[in-house]
């Protein structure tokens, strides 16, 4: 429950939710912070603060690539949150199917 609460709190702001959704859309390659900033039309300092909140909730990771910082959504954390939210769906009656998980593939891979 603590991890779910941290994730939900982090996603409970419009700009952070938009950032996270954009990173999910970008897939496992993620995107440079500058590109994300432009896509969201946020000032750099504002985006940095929002990314810090998402990072502290383990929803995003980043990696320095030379002069660029690439940020990625944590699909494992997202899937864990979805599983937590739906684990008792329909009170175990079987009326609903299991939650699907997002398993993105890197570009150029198959299967």
């Amino acid at each position: 429950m603590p991890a779910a609460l941290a994730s939900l709190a982090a996603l409970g702001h419009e700009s952070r939710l938009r950032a996270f959704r954009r990173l999910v859309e970008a897939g496992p390659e993620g995107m440079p912070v500058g590109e994300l900033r432009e896509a969201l039309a946020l000032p750099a300092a504002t985006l940095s603060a929002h990314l810090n909140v998402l990072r502290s909730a383990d929803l995003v990771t980043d990696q320095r690539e030379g002069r660029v910082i690439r940020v990625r959504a944590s699909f494992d954390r997202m899937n864990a949150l979805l599983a937590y939210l739906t684990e008792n769906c329909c009170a175990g009656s079987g009326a609903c199917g299991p939650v699907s998980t997002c398993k993105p593939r890197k570009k150029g891979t198959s299967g």
Side-chain angles (χ1 to χ4, degrees):
M1 185 177 298
L5 288 171
S7 294
L8 292 169
L11 294 172
H13 186 280
E14 179 183 351
S15 294
R16 289 193 294 269
L17 182 58
R18 287 177 52 226
F20 185 74
R21 288 176 52 107
R22 181 65 186 93
L23 292 170
V24 168
E25 183 181 320
E29 290 81 22
M31 61 195 311
V33 171
E35 188 177 318
L36 179 60
R37 186 191 61 72
E38 289 176 13
L40 300 175
L42 291 173
T46 301
L47 178 59
S48 180
H50 287 312
L51 289 175
N52 284 336
V53 173
L54 293 170
R55 194 177 296 112
S56 71
D58 294 326
L59 288 167
V60 300
T61 60
D62 53 40
Q63 178 180 5
R64 181 168 289 282
E65 297 174 348
R67 296 178 61 174
V68 173
I69 297 176
R70 182 171 296 274
V71 64
R72 295 174 174 89
S74 172
F75 289 95
D76 289 341
R77 183 62 169 236
M78 179 185 75
N79 289 332
L81 177 61
L82 292 172
Y84 177 79
L85 292 173
T86 60
E87 72 183 346
N88 295 317
C89 184
C90 302
S93 69
C96 26
V99 66
S100 62
T101 58
C102 185
K103 298 176 186 169
R105 292 184 296 267
K106 293 197 178 214
K107 291 180 183 172
T109 62
S110 61

